[in-house]
Amino acid sequence: MPEQNAVETLEFTVDPAIIHHTIQSQAGTLGKAIIELVQNAVDAGADRCDIRIDQDTFVVQDNGKGFASRAEVKNYFAKFGTPHKEGDATFGRFRIGRGQIMTFAATRWLSSVFSMDVDIKKKGLRFDLTDTNPEMPGCRIEGRWYEALYPKAIEDEEDGYFARIDPEPDPHAALILELKNSLRYVRIAAFLNGERISMDCGSEKWTMENEDAYFRLKASGSLAIYNQGVLVREDPGYLFGCGGIVVTKKNILLNVSRTEILRTQCPVWPAIEKEIRREGRKFRATKAGATRMDENSRKHAALELMMGQGSFETPVLTLLPRKHVNMHYLASRSDKPLLMAPEDDLVRAEKIARSGMAHVLHPSVMERFGAGTAEQLSQILKTAWLAEGNDRLFFERILPRYSIPEGKAILERRRERLINSAGIWEFADYEQAASAFNGDHTIIEAGELLKDEQVIYRAVENALDSFIRRVRRIHEDNNTGHLSLQIGRSASSEAWTDGKTYLAISEALLRGVVEDGFPGILHLLDVVVHELSHRDCGETQDVPHDEAFYALFHDTTMRSGAAKSDAIDAIIGAYLGICRRDKLKPYRWAQKWLPKRVPS
């Protein structure tokens, strides 16, 4: 018989370099490293943990059980990866988290009579152990940062000189803020530089509580997830349909660096997530949720559309200058081309939109749907559009009302219509459309107006001058220079100004006053407020609309009622006076005005 080879059973081993990698790969931020020490205090049975941090050093001290013997130091401090026994720790699993702080600082660990000095930059994977220290209850970790927490000023070379520019964010202040936010609900009394930063969940107000977690949810914002009181992550609210805070009562499974939830392995998280999503659906189902969507809600609606579960009635598309519409809205107005506005050409894109020559989508729609280009967004919208003819529609909406043969025939006809109309989601070439667009703004003379428009211009001239001064006082605008009223002609703007010397109103606005009367005057005043709300922006025809503009425009509109009322009185009164002096017959809308408004 042939001689058999000897079989030797061997164990896998780990090179010391893996320990180095384990220590360094965990280290995300200084905050995470300090938080790990607080979590260790909780696992050690402490009910208090004091943290002191300055720009050069730190101390973390707890009143837990600490290291009781040299054997515990060797097994639980010197050795990385010793697993916890079931139920003996709240957060810990493999006793490797303490390595995070070793990446950022040279440390001394004091517990009982033991002192462990660690400095991986000087000593590598060795540490000095002594057991002749005064008795230290619990555990105290002292450290000196490898890189002090002072702001760094950066020097830039410019024209042969070195100019000092603004410093980076203060790392010490950033660390303090991170710890306060991350340890807000930790279950023990946590103090930071003498201030208590933890609070009792039981004394807080929550929108909901069950055996798994505390919930404080809202329709907007991000969702902060706290694992037994310690912040794990903040997820975008659109993933769940709502934002807010969730503090779990039970431990959720996390990755090694405690930054990701192991969603498919964790037995606790699915039930919590189900509750969050249920509340998110409630928010969206309310009248306020349906009509006052924020970006979270629109992103969530986009996500549902991409998964074939959304509604074409949800206003998930944003048209310039700033109007949120649903897919049915655009589909029913497919007589105009569809354009995607470039991020760096919003001014011209807004002008094109205002001219009415095309539907122009805001570039935020691409980010909302996770598209990198207009072509990718087009494909996503086509796919969502065609999903309305899928089997889910058949079972949920058609089958309950029709027999199976009738329902299938209806579904087939619908699919055919959707396929034939999918081309509405193809974008026209923006540059080609923009090059064909004439958005010039021209100042014209009053003599170029129609006769009735000239009369209206004479009536509004003095009244608008007074109205402009009052609006600028509402704005607390210190620029007291006079704005000269001009007449303009534009295909894309009703008015524009440089904010310093002139305000141009279009002949179309004056035509609106002639034809509409009171509503036309009110619209004219609203447009003036709109233009004056572009503060410190130079020429307003070259400025897109941002959040600061909308906030100022809203506040001014709410506070300018009296100024508008007086301006309307002055305009109609001046118009009737001009008609009387020039022996003109006033329009019917002006004749309805009280006779006492007519100046003598």
Side-chain angles (χ1 to χ4, degrees):
M1 293 180 63
E3 185 178 346
Q4 293 184 335
N5 292 329
V7 176
E8 181 181 5
T9 301
L10 301 175
E11 287 188 358
F12 291 106
T13 60
V14 176
D15 190 278
I18 290 295
I19 300 177
H20 248 304
H21 175 73
T22 300
I23 292 173
Q24 305 230 339
S25 64
Q26 289 184 82
T29 65
L30 279 177
K32 287 289 186 184
I34 295 292
I35 290 163
E36 186 68 37
L37 300 182
V38 178
Q39 290 176 308
N40 288 348
V42 175
D43 287 344
D47 59 21
R48 176 172 177 138
C49 183
D50 288 270
I51 308 162
R52 292 197 173 273
I53 294 175
D54 61 31
Q55 283 81 357
D56 298 296
T57 63
F58 76 91
V59 175
V60 176
Q61 184 165 1
D62 66 63
N63 61 353
K65 60 179 181 248
F67 297 100
S69 66
R70 181 177 283 265
E72 286 190 1
V73 172
K74 289 184 176 181
N75 288 330
Y76 304 140
F77 184 81
K79 184 188 294 186
F80 278 82
T82 303
H84 282 276
K85 295 179 181 179
E86 184 68 29
D88 77 341
T90 300
F91 296 103
R93 294 174 67 195
F94 296 108
R95 291 187 172 93
I96 59 176
R98 65 189 178 282
Q100 292 190 43
I101 196 65
M102 298 174 186
T103 302
F104 296 105
T107 55
R108 170 171 292 174
W109 304 64
L110 301 165
S111 182
S112 185
V113 295
F114 303 105
S115 171
M116 292 81 81
D117 289 327
V118 182
D119 188 341
I120 62 172
K121 288 198 172 183
K122 290 183 178 179
K123 303 175 185 176
L125 297 179
R126 295 180 176 85
F127 69 94
D128 297 330
L129 171 65
T130 61
D131 58 3
T132 57
N133 299 282
E135 184 75 23
M136 173 66 68
C139 187
R140 177 184 174 94
I141 304 103
E142 303 170 351
R144 177 168 291 276
W145 307 118
Y146 286 130
E147 188 171 340
L149 306 182
Y150 292 100
K152 295 179 182 178
I154 305 172
E155 293 184 343
D156 267 2
E157 186 172 4
E158 184 177 318
D159 298 328
Y161 297 94
F162 284 94
R164 187 166 293 276
I165 63 175
D166 290 339
E168 296 177 350
D170 184 340
H172 177 260
L175 175 58
I176 296 297
L177 287 174
E178 182 179 357
L179 292 177
K180 286 183 175 181
N181 187 41
S182 298
L183 298 173
R184 183 185 303 174
Y185 300 108
V186 69
R187 293 181 177 180
I188 64 175
F191 291 81
L192 177 58
N193 292 342
E195 173 193 357
R196 177 158 182 163
I197 58 172
S198 61
M199 53 186 67
D200 179 16
C201 285
S203 62
E204 289 282 291
K205 290 184 178 180
W206 304 95
T207 56
M208 184 175 64
E209 178 186 352
N210 61 22
E211 63 179 2
D212 295 319
Y214 300 95
F215 302 84
R216 186 186 297 133
L217 302 176
K218 56 183 181 178
S220 61
S222 60
L223 182 73
I225 302 169
Y226 287 79
N227 179 31
Q228 300 187 97
V230 176
L231 182 66
V232 175
R233 58 185 292 115
E234 289 195 31
D235 278 340
Y238 73 84
L239 294 175
F240 305 94
C242 62
I245 296 172
V246 175
V247 182
T248 71
K249 296 181 178 180
K250 303 174 183 177
N251 192 38
I252 52 178
L253 292 182
L254 305 174
N255 63 349
V256 173
S257 59
R258 305 189 200 274
T259 56
E260 294 284 348
I261 301 170
L262 303 178
R263 299 169 193 263
T264 60
Q265 303 173 35
C266 181
V268 176
W269 178 251
I272 296 173
E273 183 175 11
K274 183 178 180 181
E275 287 295 328
I276 298 169
R277 293 189 182 280
R278 185 173 65 84
E279 291 300 306
R281 287 192 294 273
K282 284 184 182 179
F283 283 124
R284 298 195 303 280
T286 63
K287 183 176 180 181
T291 58
R292 299 184 63 183
M293 297 180 71
D294 65 352
E295 188 57 25
N296 263 353
S297 303
R298 280 185 278 274
K299 281 187 176 181
H300 187 80
L303 189 62
E304 288 186 328
L305 280 170
M306 288 188 286
M307 295 189 298
Q309 300 172 353
S311 168
F312 288 168
E313 303 301 328
T314 306
V316 71
L317 304 174
T318 304
L319 291 174
L320 288 175
R322 202 69 179 179
K323 180 179 182 180
H324 303 296
V325 301
N326 57 49
M327 293 184 74
H328 273 154
Y329 176 93
L330 279 184
S332 64
R333 293 162 174 80
S334 57
D335 55 319
K336 297 178 183 178
L338 186 63
L339 301 176
M340 172 54 65
E343 189 72 54
D344 59 355
D345 198 24
L346 285 179
V347 173
R348 185 165 57 161
E350 277 196 15
K351 293 178 182 178
I352 294 172
R354 289 182 184 279
S355 74
M357 66 176 287
H359 299 298
V360 188
L361 286 182
H362 192 280
S364 63
V365 179
M366 288 203 300
E367 193 272 335
R368 195 174 298 155
F369 280 88
T373 64
E375 290 75 18
Q376 290 176 1
L377 178 61
S378 175
Q379 189 57 50
I380 290 170
L381 294 177
K382 284 181 183 179
T383 302
W385 185 247
L386 295 175
E388 268 293 281
N390 62 17
D391 292 335
R392 183 177 66 88
L393 174 73
F394 176 73
F395 287 107
E396 289 183 2
R397 305 184 197 175
I398 298 178
L399 190 58
R401 301 170 58 188
Y402 301 93
S403 67
I404 291 179
E406 290 174 325
K408 286 185 175 179
I410 293 171
L411 184 64
E412 194 58 40
R413 289 195 297 271
R414 183 176 182 85
R415 282 174 175 164
E416 186 176 348
R417 287 198 303 272
L418 291 169
I419 290 171
N420 291 337
S421 62
I424 61 178
W425 305 113
E426 293 179 0
F427 289 94
D429 186 275
Y430 175 81
E431 288 302 328
Q432 184 177 350
S435 63
F437 170 69
N438 181 5
D440 290 343
H441 297 67
T442 306
I443 300 297
I444 64 176
E445 296 297 329
E448 298 181 56
L449 296 171
L450 297 177
K451 293 295 184 182
D452 51 0
E453 293 169 354
Q454 292 181 31
V455 173
I456 293 297
Y457 177 68
R458 290 165 58 194
V460 304
E461 194 170 11
N462 290 332
L464 283 187
D465 184 63
S466 174
F467 180 69
I468 289 168
R469 288 199 301 271
R470 292 179 69 173
V471 170
R472 294 174 97 178
R473 284 200 294 272
I474 292 173
H475 287 176
E476 299 179 356
D477 190 345
N478 294 324
N479 185 355
T480 57
H482 175 69
L483 284 182
S484 171
L485 188 65
Q486 304 285 334
I487 308 166
R489 181 174 292 157
S490 172
S492 58
S493 298
E494 294 183 299
W496 60 95
T497 179
D498 65 354
K500 296 179 180 179
T501 61
Y502 79 93
L503 170 68
I505 58 174
S506 71
E507 57 186 339
L509 272 180
L510 297 174
R511 189 78 238 157
V513 175
V514 170
E515 295 178 354
D516 300 332
F518 181 85
I521 296 173
L522 194 57
H523 180 62
L524 168 64
L525 298 176
D526 283 338
V527 171
V528 171
V529 171
H530 173 281
E531 293 304 314
L532 296 177
S533 296
H534 285 291
R535 292 187 61 182
D536 305 321
C537 293
E539 295 282 349
T540 57
Q541 68 265 36
D542 298 326
V543 179
H545 298 82
D546 56 15
E547 295 301 323
F549 160 78
Y550 281 113
L552 184 59
F553 178 61
H554 171 271
D555 291 346
T556 309
T557 301
M558 297 296 292
R559 297 172 57 192
S560 59
K564 286 179 180 176
S565 177
D566 292 345
I568 292 169
D569 280 354
I571 290 171
I572 296 182
Y575 171 70
L576 292 174
I578 292 170
C579 289
R580 191 177 68 168
R581 287 193 299 272
D582 294 358
K583 296 182 171 50
L584 301 173
K585 182 179 180 180
Y587 283 99
R588 185 175 300 173
W589 54 261
Q591 293 174 355
K592 296 179 181 179
W593 208 248
L594 295 176
K596 66 179 181 180
R597 304 288 187 184
V598 183
S600 57

